[in-house]
Every structure is written in structure tokens, then in C-alpha cells.
Amino acid sequence: MPSGGYRPGAGRPRKNTSDKKLEGKPISTNSMGQPKPKKVNSKNVMADYFSMAMKECEKEVPSADVLRAEIEEYIAARGCDGFVAPQTITDYVLNRQGFLACEAMNRKIGRMTKDLKLSPYVTAGSAYYKAMQGDFNLIMQIINRHSGTGGEEKNAFLELLTNRGF
């Protein structure tokens, strides 16, 4: 009955690589046997859709400067100038502009294609909306953390607890 399994040293002894070179046989290694991956030139399809949407809807969608001024004015009104990173504001503005452009295209051409599939602008709009929502939530967290409690009524119960040492 066979014992089974791999045993170290079992089987035919391997030839030295120097002996193989002398015989003129190619030396196979794992790295030589694998083909190199081909370089793929990826085409950013969503960027093309976004640029088409912006060209088609430039009158309906507000410019990035208007959207940026709007959110910066809100941040300044809450007293949080300098707390929100400029890149976060830029990301929010671009994602909002992309969402609005996709929604405008959906109103123009419809949400379904002739093949009863979703329009690519629906998918792109959904992605822009999710990204915009994440950026807006981050901005609101920063505002809520750093804006003072001025203008809010003091809670009598909480004040009683803090006076007692809680």
C-alpha cells in the first residue's frame, strides 16, 4: 500500500544548470516562462460623457465659480473659514457640477436608451451624487465641529449636569 504524499528527496535527481548550459539546452525559470503583461491604453469614457454633457448643458448648469462661491459663502457664514480644505471644496464643486450636468442630460434625452437600458448619464449621475454627498457630509462635519454654539439655546438640563460636575 503506498504511503502517499510528497517526500523530500524522492524522485529523479535534477541536473545542474551548468550541465544544461554545456548541453545547449535553454534554462527555464518561472519569470521567463510568463509572458509580460500588455500595456492597455484605457479610455476614460466617463470623462467623455461629462465633457459632452457640459457642452450640451452649459446654459442650464451653473459654472464651477458660482457653485464654489455659494459653498464658500455658507462656510464663511457659519464662521469656519480656513477649517475646510480647499481641495475638499473643489471636489464637492466638481462632483456637484457633474451631477447637475448629468441630470440635465437625463431631462434632455431621457433615462432609458432605445434598447431599454439605463442611459450612461444615469450611472454617471449616480456616481457623481454619491461622491458629492460624501464631500458635503465631510464639509458639514467640519462645520459642526468648529462652529460655535452661538445662537443656540442652552439646554437647562445639560447646564444643571455640568454645574453638578458631570
Side-chain angles (χ1 to χ4, degrees):
M1 198 176 227
S3 62
Y6 173 76
R7 296 182 322 273
R12 174 178 64 82
R14 303 283 179 207
K15 278 189 175 179
N16 267 343
T17 55
S18 58
D19 292 342
K20 285 185 180 180
K21 284 181 186 176
L22 289 175
E23 291 176 6
K25 294 184 179 178
I27 302 170
S28 65
T29 60
N30 290 342
S31 63
M32 288 178 57
Q34 297 174 350
K36 290 184 178 180
K38 294 180 182 177
K39 186 176 181 180
V40 178
N41 294 329
S42 64
K43 189 176 180 184
N44 192 351
V45 177
M46 297 318 287
D48 294 342
Y49 280 120
F50 180 63
S51 64
M52 286 191 318
M54 287 308 296
K55 287 176 188 171
E56 293 278 332
C57 306
E58 63 187 345
K59 294 177 183 167
E60 300 166 18
V61 176
S63 70
D65 296 332
V66 172
L67 294 173
R68 185 176 190 90
E70 180 182 278
I71 190 70
E72 285 178 343
E73 180 183 329
Y74 178 73
I75 292 169
R78 295 289 302 263
C80 294
D81 289 342
F83 288 116
V84 180
Q87 186 61 44
T88 304
I89 296 172
T90 302
D91 290 345
Y92 169 75
V93 167
L94 293 177
N95 287 326
R96 184 171 178 201
Q97 192 178 26
F99 169 71
L100 292 173
C102 289
E103 284 300 305
M105 286 300 289
N106 285 333
R107 283 192 300 274
K108 267 188 178 181
I109 64 172
R111 295 186 180 276
M112 303 295 278
T113 62
K114 293 177 183 176
D115 304 329
L116 297 178
K117 294 181 181 177
L118 284 177
S119 164
Y121 293 106
V122 172
T123 309
S126 174
Y128 280 123
Y129 182 77
K130 285 179 185 175
M132 177 188 71
Q133 188 178 27
D135 294 332
F136 185 75
N137 286 340
L138 178 62
I139 291 170
M140 288 308 296
Q141 284 176 357
I142 293 170
I143 287 174
N144 289 336
R145 185 178 309 135
H146 294 290
S147 68
T149 56
E152 292 182 13
E153 294 180 14
K154 289 194 173 187
N155 188 336
F157 179 70
L158 287 177
E159 186 146 343
L160 179 68
L161 287 177
T162 53
N163 289 338
R164 288 187 177 178
F166 283 99

